[in-house]
Amino acid sequence: MTTTTVLPQWETTPDDLPAAIREIKSALRARIAESGRTVDEVFAVVEARVRAAVEEIEAASSRGETVWPVIEYADIEAGRVTAAELEKLRRRGCLVVRGHFPREQALAWDAEIVRYVEDNQFFENYRGPGDDFFGSVGSKPEIYPIYWSAAQMEARQSDRMATVQGFLNSLWRSSSDGVEWFDPSRDSLYPDRIRRRPPGANSAGLGTHLDPGTLDLWMTSAYQQAFRHLFDGTPEEYDPWDAAHRTAGSQYPGSTMCSVFRTFQGWTALSDMDHDQGVLHTVPIPEAMAYLMLRPLLDDVPDDDMCGVTVNQVFPATAQWHSLLLRAVSGIPDVRAGDSVWWHCDMIHGVDPVQDQQGWGNVMYIPAAPWCPRNEAYAESVRAAFESGSSPSDFPAEHYERAWPDRFQVTQLNENGMRGLGLG
Ligand SMILES: [Fe+2]
């Protein structure tokens, strides 16, 4: 009988991070070795797969092809997405939905947001950035910590949003082993902010990173189960589209955390944006997560280092440890107001710098966050924030909208909105 190394677990942030990192790395190495393969051999399997994907993307890009999949909303709604489109979507793990909303609708929402913040003297009262992650330009922010405008809520609870979210959720395996990990047909209306970046803006962009977690990805029992195939030497079995053990476990708190499980991160464009105006880029390879999770176990990484990952900061993807992956960084194509942009929740992404931006760069952040135990728990605090006009608990406690009379009201919720907030 073989003994299996039991992985140490920390359900809350360890007090001594370097010690915990040393301990988990040593246990993971021992556990992988029990498979009969070395850590180097297991990593080589992952690296070969990812390298093939990187080279395929480089080749497509050099042929002038659009790396990002693009699908018309009308095709999603009518169930006309082809097998070839679906295959590319799974392979790349990101998507532009063309015409998700009529362009006039998106432009009207953008104008409504401007009216909403101006009528409520937002700029006069703006106190500066409430967190250390997004900066501001002058006195007017680019990221508006605004959550409860009619425009945002109408988009979140719209049938068109539900249709796309359901389509994207269906790419995942949502039930296995007799457990329904999430309900693909019900979204939890995760409230997030707005970005409005004006013409002429200079922006340093945002470095490549990922958002699903930090050290908890290696250290909590739920994530250890979610990544079990990476940690037991069977990376061939790892499926980036399997939601098992991802929708109920604990997470380490931090200023950049997202409390909910998202199948995809996303935003809806409220202005036209050209591909070279400081837009979103990703490493469009869902399997890259396997590389990111195993890379720290190689011998060239110091024993108390997880390739730079620590708590309270986003998970960085850097040239020092992930140069192979960064070769595949691919930007979105030109988008128009009303298009939406989506990327797998584990995907490396960043925002390009821009000088003297041409045109506006306006988006509403709306992800696909399907109903599951984790999202149901967060929905309770969202409901309270919605009712009082407060900032949701994942975000700095700025609470600009509490006294704004024209924020979206409970009576304006439709069925999607009621279900999303756990009221229906
Ligand atoms: Fe991010």
Side-chain angles (χ1 to χ4, degrees):
M1 178 178 156
T2 54
T3 48
T4 305
T5 302
V6 176
L7 298 177
Q9 294 163 352
W10 294 263
E11 298 308 311
T12 56
T13 312
D15 293 328
D16 185 342
L17 292 179
I21 291 172
R22 279 194 296 271
E23 201 180 325
I24 190 68
K25 282 173 72 161
S26 146
L28 288 168
R29 288 187 180 118
R31 192 178 172 98
I32 288 171
E34 285 163 5
S35 69
R37 297 157 120 179
T38 65
V39 170
D40 285 354
E41 285 167 347
V42 168
F43 184 75
V45 170
V46 169
E47 186 175 40
R49 291 179 161 216
V50 170
R51 185 179 299 279
V54 167
E55 288 171 355
E56 192 251 333
I57 287 163
E58 287 176 323
S61 172
S62 68
R63 288 193 301 268
E65 292 172 18
T66 303
V67 171
W68 275 64
V70 177
I71 298 179
E72 294 286 337
Y73 173 77
D75 290 340
I76 294 172
E77 190 185 65
R80 283 194 307 253
V81 179
T82 66
E85 285 174 313
L86 275 176
E87 190 278 329
K88 183 175 178 183
L89 174 51
R90 278 178 180 282
R91 189 155 35 92
R92 298 273 158 84
C94 54
L95 176 67
V96 172
V97 177
R98 282 272 182 245
H100 187 170
F101 296 97
R103 186 164 178 275
E104 305 70 42
Q105 169 76 81
L107 295 175
W109 277 335
D110 191 50
E112 162 59 18
I113 288 163
V114 172
R115 186 210 59 75
Y116 179 65
V117 298
E118 286 184 347
D119 280 4
N120 290 295
Q121 277 91 47
F122 169 63
F123 298 121
E124 291 84 338
N125 292 317
Y126 181 62
R127 297 182 297 267
D131 63 28
D132 54 8
F133 190 58
F134 293 105
S136 67
V137 172
S139 59
K140 276 197 179 183
E142 289 181 357
I143 302 286
Y144 295 10
I146 298 301
Y147 306 89
W148 308 117
S149 67
Q152 287 161 291
M153 286 301 291
E154 282 170 15
R156 288 175 193 143
Q157 69 171 4
S158 68
D159 286 344
R160 281 174 174 255
M161 188 54 74
T163 297
V164 170
Q165 288 164 333
F167 169 73
L168 292 168
N169 291 340
S170 73
L171 295 167
W172 284 72
R173 192 192 310 164
S174 57
S175 56
S176 57
D177 302 329
V179 180
E180 186 182 55
W181 303 102
F182 69 77
D183 177 351
S185 67
R186 178 180 181 182
D187 194 74
S188 66
L189 250 71
Y190 185 75
D192 202 328
R193 302 179 279 195
I194 290 160
R195 188 193 75 185
R196 298 190 79 254
R197 212 168 59 196
N202 299 318
S203 167
L206 209 53
T208 42
H209 69 278
L210 50 160
D211 294 326
T214 58
L215 292 177
D216 41 4
L217 298 170
W218 291 273
M219 293 181 176
T220 66
S221 90
Y223 275 126
Q224 286 173 2
Q225 290 180 78
F227 295 117
R228 63 201 176 281
H229 293 301
L230 304 179
F231 297 158
D232 70 6
T234 56
E236 292 88 347
E237 305 296 313
Y238 167 68
D239 177 3
W241 301 101
D242 183 358
H245 305 287
R246 296 201 58 159
T247 59
S250 58
Q251 290 176 291
Y252 295 168
S255 59
T256 60
M257 90 175 292
C258 174
S259 294
V260 302
F261 169 71
R262 295 176 285 196
T263 53
F264 282 78
Q265 293 185 249
W267 48 255
T268 301
L270 298 181
S271 65
D272 302 342
M273 282 172 272
D274 285 347
H275 68 278
D276 55 358
Q277 297 301 311
V279 298
L280 180 82
H281 285 60
T282 61
V283 174
I285 306 172
E287 294 76 14
M289 191 60 176
Y291 187 107
L292 291 155
M293 295 301 296
L294 292 173
R295 184 68 187 81
L297 303 182
L298 298 194
D299 286 342
D300 59 341
V301 185
D303 266 353
D304 59 356
D305 182 2
M306 278 296 195
C307 295
V309 180
T310 186
V311 295
N312 235 341
Q313 289 175 28
V314 291
F315 185 137
T318 62
Q320 183 182 7
W321 302 118
H322 312 114
S323 58
L324 171 66
L325 305 179
L326 298 183
R327 279 165 48 191
V329 167
S330 304
I332 56 169
D334 294 350
V335 294
R336 291 180 22 112
D339 294 347
S340 61
V341 170
W342 304 87
W343 62 102
H344 185 292
C345 58
D346 290 346
M347 189 158 275
I348 298 169
H349 58 283
V351 180
D352 251 12
V354 63
Q355 291 291 313
D356 188 19
Q357 176 180 288
Q358 304 300 298
W360 285 89
N362 303 347
V363 309
M364 276 193 277
Y365 298 103
I366 303 178
W371 202 255
C372 61
R374 178 181 286 183
N375 297 3
E376 182 172 357
Y378 187 67
E380 193 174 323
S381 75
V382 168
R383 213 155 48 232
F386 170 60
E387 283 163 4
S388 62
S390 303
S391 300
S393 56
D394 267 1
F395 297 90
E398 295 166 283
H399 308 312
Y400 286 105
E401 297 167 85
R402 281 182 175 168
W404 295 9
D406 51 347
R407 63 171 200 264
F408 199 79
Q409 299 298 312
V410 177
T411 51
Q412 296 171 278
L413 291 170
N414 68 11
E415 195 186 331
N416 295 336
M418 297 284 282
R419 273 162 48 92
L421 293 171
L423 294 168

